[in-house]
CSV table of all heavy atoms in Angstrom, one decimal:
chain,number,residue,atom,x,y,z
A,296,GLU,N,8.6,-2.5,16.7
A,296,GLU,CA,7.6,-3.1,17.5
A,296,GLU,C,6.3,-3.0,16.7
A,296,GLU,O,6.1,-2.2,15.8
A,296,GLU,CB,7.4,-2.4,18.8
A,296,GLU,CG,8.7,-2.5,19.7
A,296,GLU,CD,8.5,-1.7,21.0
A,296,GLU,OE1,7.4,-1.2,21.3
A,296,GLU,OE2,9.5,-1.6,21.7
A,297,SER,N,5.3,-3.8,17.1
A,297,SER,CA,3.9,-3.8,16.6
A,297,SER,C,3.3,-2.4,16.8
A,297,SER,O,3.5,-1.8,17.9
A,297,SER,CB,3.0,-4.8,17.2
A,297,SER,OG,3.5,-6.1,16.8
A,298,GLY,N,2.7,-1.8,15.8
A,298,GLY,CA,2.0,-0.6,16.0
A,298,GLY,C,2.8,0.7,15.7
A,298,GLY,O,2.4,1.8,15.9
A,299,THR,N,4.1,0.5,15.3
A,299,THR,CA,4.9,1.7,15.0
A,299,THR,C,4.8,2.3,13.7
A,299,THR,O,5.4,3.3,13.4
A,299,THR,CB,6.4,1.3,15.3
A,299,THR,OG1,6.7,0.1,14.5
A,299,THR,CG2,6.7,1.0,16.7
A,300,GLY,N,4.0,1.7,12.8
A,300,GLY,CA,3.7,2.3,11.5
A,300,GLY,C,4.5,1.7,10.4
A,300,GLY,O,4.8,2.4,9.4
A,301,LYS,N,5.0,0.5,10.5
A,301,LYS,CA,5.8,-0.1,9.4
A,301,LYS,C,5.0,-0.2,8.1
A,301,LYS,O,5.5,0.0,7.0
A,301,LYS,CB,6.3,-1.5,9.8
A,301,LYS,CG,7.2,-1.4,11.1
A,301,LYS,CD,7.8,-2.8,11.4
A,301,LYS,CE,6.7,-3.8,11.9
A,301,LYS,NZ,6.1,-3.4,13.2
A,302,ASP,N,3.7,-0.5,8.2
A,302,ASP,CA,2.9,-0.5,7.0
A,302,ASP,C,2.7,0.8,6.3
A,302,ASP,O,2.7,0.9,5.1
A,302,ASP,CB,1.5,-1.1,7.3
A,302,ASP,CG,0.8,-0.4,8.5
A,302,ASP,OD1,1.4,0.3,9.2
A,302,ASP,OD2,-0.5,-0.5,8.5
A,303,VAL,N,2.6,1.9,7.1
A,303,VAL,CA,2.5,3.2,6.6
A,303,VAL,C,3.8,3.6,5.9
A,303,VAL,O,3.9,4.3,4.9
A,303,VAL,CB,2.1,4.3,7.7
A,303,VAL,CG1,1.9,5.6,7.0
A,303,VAL,CG2,0.8,3.8,8.4
A,304,ALA,N,4.9,3.2,6.5
A,304,ALA,CA,6.3,3.5,6.0
A,304,ALA,C,6.4,2.8,4.6
A,304,ALA,O,7.0,3.4,3.7
A,304,ALA,CB,7.4,3.0,6.9
A,305,ALA,N,5.9,1.6,4.5
A,305,ALA,CA,5.9,0.9,3.2
A,305,ALA,C,5.1,1.6,2.2
A,305,ALA,O,5.5,1.7,1.0
A,305,ALA,CB,5.4,-0.6,3.4
A,306,GLN,N,3.9,2.1,2.6
A,306,GLN,CA,3.1,2.9,1.6
A,306,GLN,C,3.8,4.1,1.2
A,306,GLN,O,3.7,4.6,0.1
A,306,GLN,CB,1.8,3.2,2.3
A,306,GLN,CG,0.9,1.9,2.5
A,306,GLN,CD,-0.3,2.2,3.4
A,306,GLN,OE1,-0.8,3.3,3.4
A,306,GLN,NE2,-0.7,1.2,4.1
A,307,ALA,N,4.5,4.8,2.2
A,307,ALA,CA,5.3,6.0,1.9
A,307,ALA,C,6.4,5.7,0.8
A,307,ALA,O,6.6,6.5,-0.1
A,307,ALA,CB,5.9,6.6,3.1
A,308,LEU,N,7.1,4.6,1.0
A,308,LEU,CA,8.2,4.3,0.1
A,308,LEU,C,7.6,4.1,-1.3
A,308,LEU,O,8.2,4.5,-2.3
A,308,LEU,CB,8.9,3.0,0.5
A,308,LEU,CG,9.9,3.1,1.6
A,308,LEU,CD1,10.4,1.7,2.1
A,308,LEU,CD2,11.2,3.8,1.1
A,309,HIS,N,6.5,3.4,-1.4
A,309,HIS,CA,5.8,3.2,-2.7
A,309,HIS,C,5.4,4.6,-3.3
A,309,HIS,O,5.6,4.9,-4.5
A,309,HIS,CB,4.6,2.3,-2.6
A,309,HIS,CG,3.9,2.1,-3.8
A,309,HIS,ND1,4.4,1.3,-4.9
A,309,HIS,CD2,2.7,2.5,-4.2
A,309,HIS,CE1,3.5,1.3,-5.9
A,309,HIS,NE2,2.4,2.1,-5.5
A,310,ALA,N,4.8,5.4,-2.5
A,310,ALA,CA,4.2,6.7,-3.0
A,310,ALA,C,5.3,7.6,-3.4
A,310,ALA,O,5.1,8.4,-4.4
A,310,ALA,CB,3.4,7.3,-1.9
A,311,LEU,N,6.5,7.5,-2.8
A,311,LEU,CA,7.6,8.4,-3.2
A,311,LEU,C,8.4,7.9,-4.3
A,311,LEU,O,9.3,8.6,-4.8
A,311,LEU,CB,8.5,8.7,-1.9
A,311,LEU,CG,7.9,9.4,-0.7
A,311,LEU,CD1,8.8,9.3,0.4
A,311,LEU,CD2,7.6,10.8,-1.1
A,312,SER,N,8.2,6.7,-4.7
A,312,SER,CA,9.0,6.1,-5.8
A,312,SER,C,8.5,6.3,-7.2
A,312,SER,O,7.4,6.8,-7.4
A,312,SER,CB,9.1,4.6,-5.5
A,312,SER,OG,7.9,3.9,-5.8
A,313,GLY,N,9.3,5.9,-8.1
A,313,GLY,CA,8.8,6.0,-9.5
A,313,GLY,C,7.8,4.9,-9.9
A,313,GLY,O,7.3,4.9,-11.0
A,314,ARG,N,7.5,4.1,-8.9
A,314,ARG,CA,6.5,3.0,-9.1
A,314,ARG,C,5.1,3.4,-8.6
A,314,ARG,O,4.2,2.6,-8.5
A,314,ARG,CB,7.0,1.7,-8.4
A,314,ARG,CG,8.3,1.2,-8.9
A,314,ARG,CD,8.8,0.0,-8.0
A,314,ARG,NE,10.0,-0.5,-8.5
A,314,ARG,CZ,10.1,-1.5,-9.3
A,314,ARG,NH1,9.0,-2.1,-9.8
A,314,ARG,NH2,11.3,-2.0,-9.8
A,315,ALA,N,5.0,4.6,-8.2
A,315,ALA,CA,3.8,5.1,-7.5
A,315,ALA,C,2.5,4.8,-8.4
A,315,ALA,O,1.4,4.6,-7.9
A,315,ALA,CB,3.8,6.5,-7.1
A,316,ALA,N,2.7,4.9,-9.7
A,316,ALA,CA,1.6,4.7,-10.6
A,316,ALA,C,1.2,3.2,-10.7
A,316,ALA,O,0.1,2.8,-11.2
A,316,ALA,CB,1.9,5.3,-12.0
A,317,GLY,N,2.1,2.3,-10.3
A,317,GLY,CA,1.9,0.9,-10.4
A,317,GLY,C,1.2,0.4,-9.1
A,317,GLY,O,1.0,1.2,-8.2
A,318,PRO,N,0.9,-0.9,-9.0
A,318,PRO,CA,0.2,-1.4,-7.9
A,318,PRO,C,1.1,-1.6,-6.6
A,318,PRO,O,2.3,-1.8,-6.7
A,318,PRO,CB,-0.2,-2.8,-8.4
A,318,PRO,CG,0.8,-3.2,-9.4
A,318,PRO,CD,1.2,-1.9,-10.1
A,319,LEU,N,0.5,-1.4,-5.5
A,319,LEU,CA,1.1,-1.8,-4.2
A,319,LEU,C,0.3,-3.0,-3.7
A,319,LEU,O,-0.9,-2.8,-3.3
A,319,LEU,CB,1.0,-0.6,-3.2
A,319,LEU,CG,1.4,-0.9,-1.7
A,319,LEU,CD1,2.8,-1.4,-1.7
A,319,LEU,CD2,1.1,0.2,-0.8
A,320,VAL,N,0.9,-4.1,-3.7
A,320,VAL,CA,0.3,-5.4,-3.2
A,320,VAL,C,0.8,-5.7,-1.8
A,320,VAL,O,2.0,-5.7,-1.6
A,320,VAL,CB,0.5,-6.5,-4.2
A,320,VAL,CG1,-0.1,-7.8,-3.8
A,320,VAL,CG2,0.0,-6.1,-5.6
A,321,ILE,N,-0.1,-6.1,-0.9
A,321,ILE,CA,0.3,-6.4,0.4
A,321,ILE,C,0.0,-7.9,0.7
A,321,ILE,O,-1.1,-8.4,0.5
A,321,ILE,CB,-0.5,-5.5,1.4
A,321,ILE,CG1,-0.2,-4.0,1.1
A,321,ILE,CG2,-0.1,-5.9,2.9
A,321,ILE,CD1,-1.0,-3.1,1.9
A,322,VAL,N,1.0,-8.5,1.3
A,322,VAL,CA,0.8,-9.9,1.8
A,322,VAL,C,1.2,-9.9,3.3
A,322,VAL,O,2.3,-9.6,3.6
A,322,VAL,CB,1.7,-10.9,1.0
A,322,VAL,CG1,1.7,-12.3,1.7
A,322,VAL,CG2,1.3,-11.0,-0.4
A,323,ASP,N,0.3,-10.3,4.1
A,323,ASP,CA,0.6,-10.4,5.6
A,323,ASP,C,0.8,-11.8,5.9
A,323,ASP,O,-0.2,-12.6,6.1
A,323,ASP,CB,-0.6,-9.8,6.4
A,323,ASP,CG,-0.3,-9.7,7.9
A,323,ASP,OD1,0.7,-10.3,8.3
A,323,ASP,OD2,-1.1,-9.1,8.6
A,324,CYS,N,2.0,-12.2,6.1
A,324,CYS,CA,2.3,-13.6,6.4
A,324,CYS,C,1.7,-14.1,7.8
A,324,CYS,O,1.5,-15.3,8.0
A,324,CYS,CB,3.8,-13.9,6.4
A,324,CYS,SG,4.6,-13.7,4.8
A,325,GLY,N,1.5,-13.1,8.6
A,325,GLY,CA,0.9,-13.5,9.9
A,325,GLY,C,-0.5,-13.7,9.9
A,325,GLY,O,-1.1,-14.3,10.9
A,326,ALA,N,-1.2,-13.4,8.8
A,326,ALA,CA,-2.7,-13.5,8.7
A,326,ALA,C,-3.1,-14.6,7.8
A,326,ALA,O,-4.3,-14.8,7.6
A,326,ALA,CB,-3.3,-12.2,8.3
A,327,ILE,N,-2.1,-15.3,7.1
A,327,ILE,CA,-2.4,-16.3,6.1
A,327,ILE,C,-2.0,-17.7,6.7
A,327,ILE,O,-0.9,-17.8,7.1
A,327,ILE,CB,-1.7,-16.0,4.8
A,327,ILE,CG1,-2.1,-14.6,4.3
A,327,ILE,CG2,-2.1,-17.1,3.7
A,327,ILE,CD1,-1.3,-14.2,3.1
A,328,PRO,N,-2.8,-18.7,6.6
A,328,PRO,CA,-2.4,-20.0,7.0
A,328,PRO,C,-1.1,-20.4,6.2
A,328,PRO,O,-1.0,-20.1,5.0
A,328,PRO,CB,-3.6,-20.9,6.6
A,328,PRO,CG,-4.8,-20.0,6.6
A,328,PRO,CD,-4.2,-18.7,6.1
A,329,ALA,N,-0.2,-21.1,6.9
A,329,ALA,CA,1.1,-21.4,6.4
A,329,ALA,C,0.9,-22.2,5.1
A,329,ALA,O,1.7,-22.1,4.1
A,329,ALA,CB,1.9,-22.2,7.4
A,330,THR,N,-0.1,-23.0,5.0
A,330,THR,CA,-0.3,-23.9,3.8
A,330,THR,C,-0.7,-23.1,2.6
A,330,THR,O,-0.7,-23.6,1.5
A,330,THR,CB,-1.4,-25.0,4.1
A,330,THR,OG1,-2.6,-24.3,4.6
A,330,THR,CG2,-0.9,-25.9,5.1
């Protein structure tokens, strides 16, 4: 559900991975016009 912390979980996956030194880029499809 909304507000359960999915974005924080994604950040945790990145921080715990071997990619932590690389970029974490976020795209929110719900906040960008479809076009």
Side-chain angles (χ1 to χ4, degrees):
E296 298 176 10
S297 294
T299 51
K301 297 185 292 293
D302 54 340
V303 186
Q306 293 169 27
L308 278 169
H309 177 72
L311 295 172
S312 74
R314 300 171 177 269
L319 170 63
V320 179
I321 300 172
V322 172
D323 185 351
C324 293
I327 304 171
T330 54

